[in-house]
């Protein structure tokens, strides 16, 4: 997949490097030439440009990108201007970085529903989510084990955990299932998650539910790939 990361500060460079290491094509852009030069061997492509300049941003392959991530954090004004510019250019998927409640409110008003907080761990989690569209979120417990939120694989919809036998098949543990509902407030649609409690053998996996699973990432990926 192809991703564009705008802003190569601590968060942006971490995200760009993680995505590149996962095998994706990444274009990283920043107005600081020295940063761009530092990362040219760690990110697929790097370019020096002003992300608030319409002509400069338009020169990027926006239509080919699976997502454009605005990773600017130090300058909230530049970050919001960049997001607004991408909206004008009709970019299909924009993920914003937020550093304040006000910035989050403005992004929601612009109907940007994907945003992330600026920790390095969050960059790794976002990279994992972008690497596999079925992963909703993840948390690294150790070098070996992770907790991952993933959509219920189609082949297991309507089955109980006992019937699916996921623990024996994939060496993973289902901790809980989560239902997603949508609510509207002042014309803004928001998603709400509600966990069903600790999973049991009789827990039914419904279409649209999210599974929260614990195990090795390689085994979790097998569940996702074989369950399609």
């Amino acid at each position: 997949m192809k991703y564009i990361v705008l802003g190569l500060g601590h968060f942006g460079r971490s995200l760009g490097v993680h995505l590149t290491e996962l095998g994706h094509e990444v274009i990283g852009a920043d107005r600081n030439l020295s940063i761009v030069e530092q990362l040219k061997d760690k990110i697929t492509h790097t370019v020096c440009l002003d992300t608030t300049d319409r002509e400069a941003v338009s020169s990027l392959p926006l239509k080919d990108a699976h997502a454009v991530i605005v990773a600017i954090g130090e300058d909230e004004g530049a970050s919001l201007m960049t997001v607004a510019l991408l909206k004008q250019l009709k970019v299909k998927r924009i993920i914003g970085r937020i550093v304040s409640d006000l910035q989050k409110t403005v992004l929601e008003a612009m109907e940007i529903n994907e945003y992330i907080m600026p920790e390095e761990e969050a960059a790794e989690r976002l990279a994992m989510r972008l690497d596999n569209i079925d992963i909703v979120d993840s948390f690294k417990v150790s070098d070996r084990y992770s907790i991952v939120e993933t959509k219920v694989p189609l082949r297991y919809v309507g089955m109980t955990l006992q019937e699916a036998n996921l623990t024996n098949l994939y060496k993973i543990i289902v901790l809980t299932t989560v239902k997603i509902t949508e609510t509207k407030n002042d014309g803004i649609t928001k998603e709400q998650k509600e966990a069903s409690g600790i999973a049991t053998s009789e827990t039914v996996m419904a279409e649209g539910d999210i599974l929260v699973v614990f195990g090795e990432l390689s085994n979790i990926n097998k569940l996702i790939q074989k369950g399609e």
Side-chain angles (χ1 to χ4, degrees):
M1 293 185 178
K2 179 180 288 186
Y3 296 106
I4 298 175
V5 179
L6 302 179
L8 297 176
H10 187 67
F11 173 78
R13 74 179 68 188
S14 179
L15 177 61
V17 170
H18 279 308
L19 285 172
T20 301
E21 289 173 346
L22 287 167
H24 299 284
E25 182 179 354
V26 181
I27 298 174
D30 197 281
R31 67 173 69 189
N32 188 320
L33 181 58
S34 64
I35 291 176
V36 170
E37 287 294 317
Q38 289 171 22
L39 296 172
K40 65 181 182 180
D41 295 324
K42 296 181 178 180
I43 295 175
T44 317
H45 309 287
T46 54
V47 59
C48 185
L49 59 78
D50 181 354
T51 63
T52 65
D53 184 312
R54 184 185 182 92
E55 185 175 347
V57 174
S58 298
S59 69
L60 297 172
L62 301 173
K63 291 184 178 180
D64 297 331
H66 291 84
V68 179
I69 301 95
V70 180
I72 302 165
E74 297 76 15
D75 188 339
E76 288 187 53
S79 178
L80 292 173
M81 286 178 65
T82 300
V83 171
L85 179 56
L86 294 174
K87 287 286 287 186
Q88 290 178 358
L89 294 172
K90 303 187 185 304
V91 173
K92 56 189 175 184
R93 186 181 181 192
I94 304 168
I95 301 174
R97 173 186 174 184
I98 56 173
V99 295
S100 69
D101 290 338
L102 177 59
Q103 191 178 16
K104 179 180 176 182
T105 300
V106 175
L107 285 183
E108 289 176 343
M110 287 194 284
E111 299 183 344
I112 304 297
N113 298 315
E114 286 190 89
Y115 41 78
I116 197 159
M117 299 299 286
E119 309 104 358
E120 182 175 354
E121 178 190 348
E124 185 174 352
R125 290 165 65 187
L126 177 57
M128 188 182 296
R129 200 173 86 205
L130 292 171
D131 183 51
N132 190 323
I133 60 173
D134 291 311
I135 290 181
V136 178
D137 202 353
S138 64
F139 175 75
K140 195 172 183 179
V141 178
S142 68
D143 287 341
R144 187 173 176 185
Y145 293 102
S146 296
I147 295 174
V148 171
E149 291 184 1
T150 182
K151 301 172 186 175
V152 172
L154 290 177
R155 72 183 299 178
Y156 297 118
V157 169
M159 298 174 66
T160 65
L161 291 179
Q162 184 175 20
E163 292 169 336
N165 197 26
L166 301 181
T167 299
N168 289 329
L169 287 175
Y170 301 106
K171 296 182 175 60
I172 57 98
I173 298 172
V174 177
L175 303 177
T176 188
T177 60
V178 177
K179 292 194 178 296
I180 296 179
T181 57
E182 290 188 349
T183 59
K184 281 192 175 182
N185 186 14
D186 295 330
I188 299 174
T189 301
K190 290 186 178 181
E191 287 187 348
Q192 288 188 329
K193 295 181 179 180
E194 184 175 349
S196 61
I198 298 173
T200 69
S201 59
E202 299 306 312
T203 297
V204 176
M205 294 177 284
E207 185 174 3
D209 279 3
I210 293 172
L211 294 180
V212 181
V213 301
F214 171 82
E216 293 186 39
L217 189 57
S218 59
N219 289 329
I220 295 171
N221 280 329
K222 288 177 185 176
L223 163 67
I224 294 170
Q225 292 162 6
K226 293 183 179 180
E228 293 176 348

